[in-house]
Amino acid sequence: MGQDAYATAAAEYTRAAELSAVSDEPDVRKRQECHKLHSDSANAWRQMGENGRAGESMMNAAFSMLIGLEPEEGVHMVEKPKLMNMDKKALAAIEVAVETHTPDPLNRYRSFRQTGKSAYEVQVPKKGPVDPNAEEEMMNLAKQNMIRKSYAHETVFKAVFKLIQYGEYPSALYAAGAASRILEADDFATISLSRAFCTETIITLALGDVVSADKYFMEVHLQKSSYLSSRECKLAEDLIRAVKMMDAEALEETRSASGSNRAALANLDPGLRSLVMRIQTSGRARRAGGA
């Protein structure tokens, strides 16, 4: 099959999936059909060497597994505690799609992955010694396969926000690390990278781990000099300080809609901004409604 034929097939698979998603078929059937069609599209793009488009199709395939399981429009998932947990097959598919963009060896939050194993895990032989060069070779392969296509990070951020919507904070942090790594690989300071770093801090605090939030803020984020002067850096620093000091009043001031961080807060994704409002001075972020 020629290159043009693969491109045509990929586009047709995607269009068929879009039509299936709005059909009158039962949700179970729509989930199955859309997942297969988007997966077929990903395979077609991969045959062309278009890994960026293949990764996007894989993410669409993963999201299609949530058809009929989404909250009503305008209702945030965390406002429905009984629907908090994402279907595990969908979660696994999203995490696979995330690693398609940023292989786990390059993701500093790889330990927060909740399902499956990395495709880049070094295999330990049942007999004989471990190849001393195996880990280095796997790292080189990971760097070679990371998707560097423009705006690839935006596809991964869709996963971040979807996972936050469902309360899957560990996986959201895993995905945030993947998105940040794509932006860091460009070695070019952007507002997107500043927002990515801030997202990492917010999710880590939501997990109740101020020690890790502070560690990565100091050892990783602040090493980008451009981040120091950003609004997102100030928001992240103020949140960390308030939680470290267990100062509830300072925490409220930090996230006040009329405070000094109002611009940074306004630029956050609505789901992420809602998460900021639920961070506590101790423990994990509370659910909506104070639960």
Side-chain angles (χ1 to χ4, degrees), residues 102 106 143 146-148 178-188 193 224:
T102 302
L106 305 178
K143 291 178 180 178
M146 185 173 71
I147 295 176
R148 297 169 179 266
S180 295
R181 188 65 183 83
I182 292 172
L183 290 164
E184 289 173 294
D186 288 339
D187 196 28
F188 184 73
L193 181 58
K224 281 283 186 181

Side-chain angles (χ1 to χ4, degrees), residues 31 46 50 52 54 59 63 117 131 139 153 165 171 198 218 238 242 275:
R31 287 196 290 271
R46 201 174 289 114
E50 289 280 357
M59 192 67 75
F63 287 168
K117 293 183 178 180
D131 182 353
M139 180 63 75
H153 65 281
Q165 183 184 29
S171 295
C198 187
M218 297 294 293
D238 288 352
L275 186 57

Side-chain angles (χ1 to χ4, degrees), residues 1-247:
M1 186 182 290
Q3 297 292 297
D4 290 343
Y6 279 122
T8 300
E12 289 180 350
Y13 285 135
T14 299
R15 179 56 179 161
E18 292 171 348
L19 292 173
S20 178
V22 296
S23 70
D24 295 328
E25 295 285 348
D27 289 337
V28 173
R29 184 173 178 80
K30 287 196 285 188
R31 287 196 290 271
Q32 293 173 342
E33 289 184 348
C34 291
H35 180 266
K36 184 180 186 308
L37 289 165
H38 280 304
S39 296
D40 288 343
S41 178
N43 289 332
W45 286 124
R46 201 174 289 114
Q47 292 298 322
M48 289 184 62
E50 289 280 357
N51 291 335
R53 291 184 174 181
E56 185 176 1
S57 291
M58 285 189 67
M59 192 67 75
N60 288 336
F63 287 168
S64 69
M65 297 179 74
L66 297 171
I67 293 174
L69 304 176
E70 298 274 26
E72 297 173 13
E73 189 168 349
V75 178
H76 197 275
M77 183 61 76
V78 293
E79 294 172 2
K80 292 187 172 184
K82 66 179 181 180
L83 296 178
M84 276 287 287
N85 295 326
M86 179 180 285
D87 176 83
K88 292 306 177 186
K89 289 183 179 179
L91 179 60
I94 289 174
E95 290 188 335
V96 168
V98 168
E99 189 181 23
T100 297
H101 288 79
T102 302
D104 282 5
L106 305 178
N107 188 341
R108 55 180 163 268
Y109 296 109
R110 57 187 173 274
S111 64
F112 287 85
R113 182 173 179 170
Q114 296 187 90
T115 67
K117 293 183 178 180
S118 171
Y120 297 83
E121 184 175 306
V122 176
Q123 299 298 317
V124 178
K126 293 182 179 179
K127 295 182 179 180
V130 177
D131 182 353
N133 299 318
E135 190 169 339
E136 181 181 354
E137 291 173 357
M138 195 63 78
M139 180 63 75
N140 290 335
L141 181 62
K143 291 178 180 178
Q144 178 183 331
N145 289 343
M146 185 173 71
I147 295 176
R148 297 169 179 266
K149 177 187 173 185
S150 297
Y151 307 112
H153 65 281
E154 293 187 358
T155 299
V156 183
F157 265 118
K158 290 178 182 178
V160 174
F161 302 140
K162 182 71 70 177
L163 291 162
I164 288 175
Q165 183 184 29
Y166 279 82
E168 299 288 355
Y169 302 144
S171 295
L173 184 56
Y174 166 70
S180 295
R181 188 65 183 83
I182 292 172
L183 290 164
E184 289 173 294
D186 288 339
D187 196 28
F188 184 73
T190 65
I191 186 64
S192 295
L193 181 58
S194 293
R195 290 175 183 169
F197 283 164
C198 187
T199 297
E200 290 181 19
T201 296
I202 291 168
I203 300 173
T204 306
L205 291 175
L207 285 166
D209 191 353
V210 67
V211 174
S212 291
D214 191 38
K215 171 183 171 64
Y216 284 111
F217 179 76
M218 297 294 293
E219 297 180 5
V220 179
H221 302 168
L222 294 188
Q223 302 313 304
K224 281 283 186 181
S225 57
S226 59
Y227 186 56
L228 292 167
S229 59
S230 70
R231 296 168 173 172
E232 290 75 16
C233 180
K234 181 182 181 305
L235 172 60
E237 184 176 20
D238 288 352
L239 286 170
I240 291 171
R241 183 186 299 113
V243 175
K244 280 181 67 176
M245 299 300 293
M246 300 188 73
D247 189 335

Side-chain angles (χ1 to χ4, degrees), residues 267-286:
N267 287 325
L268 296 178
D269 173 84
L272 187 61
R273 186 164 59 245
S274 176
L275 186 57
V276 171
M277 301 307 166
R278 298 193 304 281
I279 290 174
Q280 302 185 98
T281 53
S282 63
R284 293 170 65 103
R286 66 182 184 277

